[in-house]
């Protein structure tokens, strides 16, 4: 009995060991739609690197390899994309804003949908961010209502280092309407009196009293532009720069020199171009100087010489001042759709103050700015940057002030100066004229006619978007009146008259009158007039010559099919020209068909005045037109390629390598007979794998380090009888790569693609053979025990 127990224990151990491989390979690869809650790792401070936190994201096992990334800066309701990498490092430009992360599942890896998360407002330092986190992590019991912020007094969950937003289904996004502009401001003196009181001054004062200061704050939601002011009895400092919402500016006020004795109380009012005004009262009294009484002059006594007292050294008041050169950079005028951006210009900034300044890199909406060559400037030092317009700006005039802000105590100060960048984008010039009427028929006159047909009026209109300078038209057989205007702005028209010349001999006069202009805009009219000795009779209409060799897909119009505007008619007075109107819509031509097409177009002939048709000859004709077929598509095998594997890439035995085979001609969605393509059919790294259908991608991992070659075979196929058929030819592309062995590798099975015939290499370094041997021994032991027990019975 004891032996049986020992044998049972041994068999149990063997069975447990044999199950280890199945547990190793049970790890699941994430697949499905993104769900749950996404967070952002990292403090919301400048210089910190942020990344995605998948702890509460479904499906489980989600990593950076299965999603794409979009990082955006959120200022108010405006989102600006700042990166698409797996991580994002917060910059100075993000200060005061929020960072929004959006991840989107890679459908080719079995993951779909998207999630978003938003950080707290970005602060300057990690210490400040940490203090903010510690404050937010206190429970309501640990804080008094006065200590709690409005956000902390709500029942919503607070996340210390990042926040998260629910994944809003597409189409249900919250829509933000722009705010109505509110223009408002406030003013406050530096003292508690509510006014500026400079006290009493003696008449003839040579020293001005100390300046007093007022602070103006923009309390609206739109920028304010202050006017210059000059009060009668006080000197004031103007608001030189635009004041943005929430910004403050401190200004000095001091009485003017040479005030006469009296009491002065001025209301100093600052006004803006937007209609806002703020006021403060300034007061000063100037008294007559008192005349001192004469006193007896004492006898002079000798006094010892005084030791000279050294003059105190005055501490200069810090002055922040810069000079910008040039103050305006003008890039001139370009045409909409410009492909060549005007050359960049250099702007130089010189520190003309008396203290060291640290400048922030300037920003612009419509111009590209380089970084400053230096941000720290001692007095007298210079820095510079370049500015150029952005590409593909739409039509408009771009005048933008680029401001230069100092860093004061770790925060952005008031703008020291600015440079104005200018460029105008004009619409692309279109030169186009229309003529009304396009055809004028003056009828028929017999040879030796006395009266000329009445002159007809012709209207020429500029239907383009640029001015056109006309040239006086002329005719060989027609008299042309003077143009009513030689220059036409867009939309403007002018007129001239036309009539046949006197004394024309027997003939049909069909003449094209061109409207010449310096801009080469094509425009003309056709004038016709017939002179005959007697009645002219129609004998026949000559069929136009066949039209051949038109390009496949030619426009279905008279011009696109190159149909003649006139046909030749045979009359009793000879051959003449007659206008013809073609029924293009009624023809069998289909521009969408790629095969060659031959068809006829019917036309209706209009006989010139003076030609009779007593025999009732059909006033119709046809013309035969041939449009060429589409040529066969035969891509070159050199276009076959393998993407996703870098010969110089750094791969390890834990790297999942994903590649795609791109066959030449595989994007041909409308094949025709004779077209060629190259179909990816198999790939090889150590052994062959096959594809049954698209996508032609695969993911693998090498179990051992070394140098390897990935080969992909492309079968050449030809389209015939409505399907692709193999031609027997093939093309093989390959790429070499190296894999470094990783110590103590993490065993993670690779996902097997559904369109592969064989399983993909997992790269698991676990030796399978020993487990198989153990399992076999366990099975043998079981058999031995069963046989033994039967014999014993």
């Amino acid at each position: 009995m004891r032996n049986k127990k020992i044998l049972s224990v041994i068999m149990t151990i063997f069975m447990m060991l044999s199950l280890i491989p199945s547990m190793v390979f049970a790890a699941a690869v994430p697949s499905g739609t993104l769900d749950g809650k996404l967070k952002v790792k990292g403090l919301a401070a400048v210089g910190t690197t942020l990344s995605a936190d998948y702890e509460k994201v479904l499906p489980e096992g989600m990593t950076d390899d299965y999603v794409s990334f979009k990082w955006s800066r959120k200022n108010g309701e405006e989102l600006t994309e700042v990166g698409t990498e797996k991580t994002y490092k917060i910059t100075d430009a993000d200060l005061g804003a929020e960072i929004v992360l959006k991840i989107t599942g890679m459908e080719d890896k079995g993951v779909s949908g998207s999630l978003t998360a938003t950080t707290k407002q970005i602060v300057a330092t990690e210490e400040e961010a940490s203090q903010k986190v510690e404050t937010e992590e206190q429970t309501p019991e640990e804080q008094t209502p006065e200590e709690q912020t409005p956000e902390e007094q709500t029942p919503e969950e607070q996340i210390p280092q990042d926040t998260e937003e629910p994944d809003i289904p597409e189409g249900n996004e919250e829509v933000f309407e722009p705010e109505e502009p509110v223009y408002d401001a406030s003013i406050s003196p530096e003292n508690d009196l509510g006014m500026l009181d400079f006290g009493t001054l003696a008449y003839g004062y040579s020293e001005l009293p100390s300046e007093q200061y007022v602070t103006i704050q923009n309390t609206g939601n739109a920028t304010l532009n202050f006017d210059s002011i000059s009060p009668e009895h006080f000197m004031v400092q103007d608001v030189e720069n635009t004041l943005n919402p929430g910004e403050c500016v401190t200004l000095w006020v001091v009485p003017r020199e040479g005030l006469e004795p009296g009491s002065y109380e001025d209301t100093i009012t600052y006004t803006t171009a937007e209609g806002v005004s703020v006021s403060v009262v300034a007061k000063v009294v100037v008294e007559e100087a008192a005349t001192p009484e004469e006193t007896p002059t004492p006898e002079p006594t000798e006094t010892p010489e005084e030791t000279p007292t050294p003059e105190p050294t005055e501490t200069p008041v810090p002055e922040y001042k810069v000079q910008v050169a040039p103050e305006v950079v003008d890039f001139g005028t370009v045409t909409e759709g410009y492909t060549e951006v005007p050359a960049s210009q250099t702007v130089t900034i010189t520190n003309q103050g008396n203290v060291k300044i640290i400048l922030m890199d300037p920003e612009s909406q419509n111009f590209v700015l380089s970084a400053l060559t230096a941000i720290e400037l001692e007095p007298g030092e210079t820095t510079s940057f370049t500015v150029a317009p952005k590409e593909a700006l739409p039509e408009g005039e771009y005048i933008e002030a680029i401001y230069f802000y100092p860093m004061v105590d770790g925060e952005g100060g008031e703008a020291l100066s600015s440079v104005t960048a200018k460029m105008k984008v004009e619409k692309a010039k279109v030169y186009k004229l229309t003529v009304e009427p396009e055809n004028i028929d003056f009828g028929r006159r017999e040879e030796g006619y006395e009266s000329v047909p009445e002159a007809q009026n012709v209207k020429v209109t500029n239907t383009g978007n640029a001015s056109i300078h006309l040239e006086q038209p002329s005719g060989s057989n027609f008299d042309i009146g003077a143009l009513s205007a030689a220059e036409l702005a867009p939309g403007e028209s002018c007129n001239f008259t036309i009539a046949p010349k006197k004394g024309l001999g027997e003939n049909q006069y069909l003449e094209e009158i061109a409207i010449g202009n310096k801009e080469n805009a094509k425009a003309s009219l056709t004038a016709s007039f017939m002179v005959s000795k007697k009645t002219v009779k129609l004998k026949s209409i000559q069929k136009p010559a066949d039209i051949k060799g038109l390009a496949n897909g030619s426009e279905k119009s008279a011009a696109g099919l190159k149909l003649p505007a006139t046909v030749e008619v045979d009359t009793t007075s000879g051959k003449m020209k007659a206008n013809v109107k073609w029924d293009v819509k009624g023809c069998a031509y289909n521009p969408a068909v790629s095969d060659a097409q031959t068809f006829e177009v019917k036309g209706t002939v209009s006989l010139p005045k003076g030609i009779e048709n007593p025999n009732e000859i059909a006033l119709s004709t046809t013309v035969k037109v041939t449009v060429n077929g589409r040529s066969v598509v035969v891509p070159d095998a050199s276009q076959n390629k393998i993407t996703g594997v870098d010969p110089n890439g750094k791969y390890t035995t834990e790297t999942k390598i994903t590649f795609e085979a791109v066959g030449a001609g595989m994007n041909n969605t409308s094949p025709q007979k004779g077209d060629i393509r190259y179909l990816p059919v198999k790939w090889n790294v150590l052994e062959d794998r096959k594809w049954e259908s698209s996508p032609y991608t695969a993911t693998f991992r090498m179990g051992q380090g070394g140098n390897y070659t990935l080969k992909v075979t492309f079968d050449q196929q030809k389209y015939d009888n409505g399907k692709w058929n193999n031609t027997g030819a093939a093309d093989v592309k390959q790429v070499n790569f190296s894999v470094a062995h990783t110590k103590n590798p993490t065993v993670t099975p690779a996902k097997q693609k559904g369109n592969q015939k064989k399983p993909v290499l997992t790269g698991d370094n676990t030796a399978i053979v020993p487990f198989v041997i153990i399992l076999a021994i366990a099975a043998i032991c079981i058999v031995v025990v069963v046989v033994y027990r039967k014999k014993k019975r």
Side-chain angles (χ1 to χ4, degrees), residues 390-437:
K390 289 186 176 180
E391 297 180 353
L393 289 174
E395 176 196 9
E397 188 168 4
Y398 297 89
I399 302 176
E400 184 176 345
I402 301 170
Y403 293 96
F404 309 106
Y405 297 94
M407 289 292 293
V408 179
D409 297 330
E411 297 182 355
E414 296 180 10
L416 299 177
S417 186
S418 66
V419 61
T420 302
K422 302 169 59 178
M423 189 178 79
K424 185 176 182 181
V425 181
E426 294 182 338
K427 271 192 174 181
K429 293 184 178 180
V430 177
Y431 300 105
K432 186 177 181 181
L433 293 172
T434 58
V435 180
E436 297 178 301

Side-chain angles (χ1 to χ4, degrees), residues 104-257:
T104 302
M106 296 182 178
E107 295 188 358
D108 59 339
K109 294 187 177 180
V111 180
S112 61
S114 62
L115 292 176
T116 60
T118 305
T119 69
K120 292 290 186 183
Q121 189 178 55
I122 304 302
V123 297
T125 64
E126 294 187 11
E127 291 78 8
E128 186 178 352
S130 298
Q131 292 174 1
K132 190 173 182 181
V133 170
E134 291 173 0
T135 302
E136 292 175 346
E137 286 178 340
Q138 293 180 21
T139 63
E141 291 76 9
E142 295 171 332
Q143 295 178 320
T144 66
E146 292 77 8
E147 293 174 333
Q148 295 180 8
T149 64
E151 292 83 357
E152 293 168 335
Q153 295 176 18
T154 64
E156 297 178 358
E157 179 184 1
Q158 300 294 312
I159 301 173
Q161 297 186 12
D162 43 43
T163 61
E164 55 198 21
E165 296 180 353
D167 188 21
I168 303 174
E170 192 169 339
N172 296 331
E173 301 91 344
E174 185 176 358
V175 179
F176 295 93
E177 297 293 342
E179 289 183 302
E180 288 293 332
V182 177
Y183 302 100
D184 200 3
S186 64
I187 186 170
S188 57
E190 65 178 347
N191 54 44
D192 298 327
L193 302 176
M195 63 179 294
L196 305 177
D197 190 351
F198 292 89
T200 302
L201 304 178
Y203 175 65
Y205 55 91
S206 58
E207 273 188 21
L208 292 174
S210 299
E211 298 96 342
Q212 296 192 33
Y213 295 87
V214 295
T215 299
I216 298 177
Q217 181 177 11
N218 183 345
T219 58
N221 62 7
T223 56
L224 297 178
N225 298 277
F226 282 83
D227 303 319
S228 297
I229 61 173
S230 180
E232 182 179 2
H233 303 110
F234 293 85
M235 295 184 292
V236 299
Q237 181 182 2
D238 285 327
V239 182
E240 297 180 349
N241 299 316
T242 298
L243 199 60
N244 293 317
E247 288 185 349
C248 298
V249 59
T250 300
L251 310 169
W252 53 259
V253 180
V254 69
R256 293 187 180 274
E257 295 180 347

Side-chain angles (χ1 to χ4, degrees), residues 293-308:
E293 295 182 358
E294 292 185 3
T295 56
T297 304
E299 290 293 330
T301 57
E302 293 185 3
T303 58
E305 294 184 359
E306 295 182 356
T307 302

Side-chain angles (χ1 to χ4, degrees), residues 445-687:
R445 290 288 190 275
E446 291 186 357
E447 194 172 16
Y449 55 92
E450 293 285 337
S451 63
V452 177
E454 183 181 359
Q456 300 291 317
N457 186 65
V458 179
K459 181 180 180 182
V460 181
T461 303
N462 182 352
T463 54
N465 62 9
S467 295
I468 298 179
H469 302 81
L470 300 177
E471 299 170 353
Q472 176 63 37
S474 61
S476 300
N477 303 300
F478 297 86
D479 288 326
I480 310 297
L483 290 167
S484 62
E487 180 179 353
L488 295 181
E492 292 184 343
S493 301
C494 70
N495 301 278
F496 66 89
T497 58
I498 180 172
K501 291 183 176 181
K502 289 184 179 180
L504 293 175
E506 179 187 3
N507 202 349
Q508 182 190 19
Y509 298 93
L510 187 66
E511 186 174 344
E512 183 179 7
I513 309 299
I515 313 300
N517 55 87
K518 294 181 180 179
E519 289 73 25
N520 296 321
K522 294 183 179 181
S524 64
L525 75 148
T526 301
S528 61
F529 178 57
M530 184 161 70
V531 179
S532 63
K533 286 184 179 181
K534 56 183 179 181
T535 303
V536 180
K537 297 179 181 179
L538 177 66
K539 295 170 62 178
S540 64
I541 298 175
Q542 185 174 340
K543 184 177 180 180
D546 294 348
I547 300 172
K548 301 178 180 180
L550 296 183
N552 186 268
S554 295
E555 180 183 340
K556 189 175 182 178
S557 65
L561 299 178
K562 298 184 179 179
L563 302 177
T566 61
V567 294
E568 193 172 85
V569 296
D570 190 10
T571 69
T572 55
S573 294
K575 295 185 181 298
M576 300 180 183
K577 295 287 186 180
N579 293 331
V580 60
K581 183 177 181 180
W582 299 102
D583 180 17
V584 178
K585 290 185 178 180
C587 72
Y589 173 57
N590 185 355
V593 175
S594 58
D595 293 335
Q597 301 179 69
T598 300
F599 51 92
E600 285 191 343
V601 183
K602 296 179 181 180
T604 301
V605 179
S606 299
L607 295 177
K609 290 182 179 179
I611 299 180
E612 297 182 359
N613 185 16
N615 299 323
E616 296 184 354
I617 298 172
L619 298 179
S620 62
T621 185
T622 61
V623 61
K624 187 177 181 180
V625 182
T626 300
V627 177
N628 295 335
R630 195 201 75 176
S631 57
V632 175
V633 177
V634 182
D636 193 274
S638 61
Q639 298 173 3
N640 295 329
K641 59 184 178 180
I642 302 171
T643 63
V645 179
D646 185 359
N648 299 318
K650 296 181 179 180
Y651 303 112
T652 70
T653 53
E654 288 196 341
T655 303
K656 293 180 182 179
I657 303 174
T658 300
F659 72 93
E660 180 179 7
V662 181
M666 290 298 293
N667 58 349
N668 186 351
T669 58
S670 300
Q672 301 291 328
K673 182 178 180 179
D675 286 359
I676 297 295
R677 74 175 187 180
Y678 287 86
L679 177 70
V681 292
K682 65 179 180 178
W683 59 280
N684 177 285
V685 177
L686 300 182
E687 57 182 273

